[in-house]
Amino acid sequence: MIVNSLSLCYHNKLILAPMVRVGTLPMRLLALDYGADIVYCEELIDLKMLQCKRVVNEVLSTVDFVAPDDRVVFRTCAREQSRVVFQLGTSDAERALAVARLVENDVAGIDVNMGCPKEYSTKGGMGAALLSDPDKIEKILSTLVKGTCRPVTCKIRILPSLEDTLSLVKRIERTGIAAIAVHGRKREERPQHPVSCEAIKAIAETLSIPVIANGGSHDHIQGYLDIEDFRQTTAASSVMVARAAMWNPSIFLKEGLRPLEEVMQKYIRYAVQYGNHYTNTKYCLCQMLREQLESPQGRLLHAAQSSQEICEAFGLGAFYEETTRELDARRAKLLARTPEEAREPVEDTSGVVKMAVKFDRRAYPPQITPKMCLLEWCRREKVAQPVYETIQRPLDRLFCSVVTVAEQKYQSTLWDKSKKLAEQAAAIVCLRSQGLPEGRLGEESPCPRKRKREGPDQDPGSPRAQEPALLGELCKKPLLALGSGEESLLEGR
């Protein structure tokens, strides 16, 4: 049996369960503060993660996985790196491995969700839907175990019969996973149904890998001592706590539960310090308040429409203002750094032609852009088409592009809010440095739209006949490679 050598220890651990909308960074850090040994993030779908780009957020001191729409899908930090497990929603082995390799340097383990019964998970063949396809389960887990440097686990529910459940978990164990979490309910059962401690115990007594018991919040776990009782009842190696931790993360504290007001304030501080979206913060606080949602404080929380208003509802208005100032000052300081101070990888820029320019769409006719002008010139002069290399600055997510034409690089020193704008700016630098038209309104030789051919009886002096020529007819000056920092033009051939 193959077992990943870089394993978390899953024996005798207190674990924060993966919970949608709850298992974000502030809650995970809070659980660690109160004694959790391992924390799981919420289930994140493979297709969504594969669209993300890894960004080091120097303002928040986090690593962010950012979607194309700039939404942070997963955020983590050094504090939890050795104890956070990334839970993946997937139904495909290759996609699962691609995501694992994307995040493996920033997390301690990879878990596959095979227990979520909700439609948003099962409709794509993920979550509990996998329980009816043991072959797919085996392929996904085997591929992950062989292909990632992190320990692999999975979280399942029990099947209708104990015999089928034991057969499945034995097959899962043979894939080489490091541990298995078992929610002691069937796919169709909900929290009000009793958890089957007997089924979890049978699994624990059958397998040699650690079994993590889950599902005890409703009937068994009301305080810290109950966690150990649940572990002994199920004969499990460790216990994973979900809703009891959502209601009060200090459930992991040996000394007992802390006052809810104190817990919520601590959670809010983490939420502000790590840029948590206010809607997620509000949701988690509502889960903690529960029956107190109709209290004066609950009503203030319900009415809050920003992180600042949430802070004010809990007497943390001054904290919000101070933290915001600190983050703004840190952001300004980082933006003011030179490339050397920023330790950004900087290519040797000798010979790169630079100008401080931006592309303003209003300054150009419809359908005409500097990139079009540059491309048309290259085609006419039989020069290789322009090659754009664009980078995004992690700090503020702005873009800068370098265009290469005839082995010469051109770049604007101003950063833009999109990749397309940055490329247009680079094209402008190239065109202006060579004295070529860029298509601006009112330009002496603008880059025009294509003209219609003259009819045989058309007067060459008519206004229509005098429409500007094709772009290639205007942009006739070939480029000259620059030397010694000078800009030159060859005479037209």
Side-chain angles (χ1 to χ4, degrees), residues 434-456:
Q434 297 299 324
L436 298 173
E438 61 187 77
R440 291 176 65 89
L441 290 167
E443 196 172 51
E444 184 176 346
S445 297
C447 294
R449 59 183 180 273
K450 294 183 179 180
R451 66 168 182 172
K452 295 182 180 178
R453 292 185 178 180
E454 296 177 9

Side-chain angles (χ1 to χ4, degrees), residues 29-78:
L29 294 178
L30 194 57
L32 290 174
D33 284 350
Y34 286 127
D37 300 301
I38 299 171
V39 291
Y40 280 55
C41 75
E42 61 180 329
E43 176 194 25
L44 295 169
I45 308 303
D46 55 5
L47 290 172
K48 184 181 295 184
M49 284 299 300
L50 290 175
Q51 298 177 39
C52 291
K53 180 178 180 180
R54 182 184 184 274
V55 176
V56 176
N57 188 326
E58 294 182 273
V59 175
L60 301 178
S61 299
T62 60
V63 173
D64 299 343
F65 291 84
V66 184
D69 62 0
D70 287 339
R71 189 171 67 87
V72 176
V73 176
F74 175 59
R75 171 169 286 164
T76 185
C77 66

Side-chain angles (χ1 to χ4, degrees), residues 221-273:
I221 300 174
Q222 307 298 321
Y224 176 83
L225 295 178
D226 299 329
I227 299 176
E228 177 59 20
D229 290 342
F230 185 57
R231 189 187 71 81
Q232 292 186 8
T233 301
T234 58
S237 298
S238 299
V239 174
M240 176 180 280
V241 185
R243 286 173 304 122
M246 175 180 71
W247 297 328
N248 191 328
S250 66
I251 191 80
F252 298 110
L253 202 59
K254 289 181 180 180
E255 294 77 13
L257 292 170
R258 300 300 303 161
L260 192 57
E261 179 78 12
E262 172 189 315
V263 173
M264 290 192 295
Q265 286 199 358
K266 193 168 184 179
Y267 172 82
I268 292 169
R269 289 175 183 271
Y270 273 136
V272 174
Q273 289 168 344

Side-chain angles (χ1 to χ4, degrees), residues 192-208:
Q192 64 268 25
H193 295 97
V195 62
S196 178
C197 295
E198 296 77 14
I200 300 175
K201 184 175 182 180
I203 294 170
E205 291 173 344
T206 299
L207 302 184
S208 59

Side-chain angles (χ1 to χ4, degrees), residues 3 53 66 96 101 151 177 183 187 269 281-282 353 458:
V3 177
K53 180 178 180 180
V66 184
R101 287 177 172 169
I177 63 171
H183 185 134
R187 173 176 174 174
R269 289 175 183 271
T281 302
K282 183 175 178 177
V353 178
Q458 185 173 349

Side-chain angles (χ1 to χ4, degrees), residues 159-170:
L159 300 178
S161 78
L162 181 59
E163 181 182 1
D164 289 342
T165 301
L166 294 179
S167 176
L168 176 63
V169 296
K170 288 177 185 177

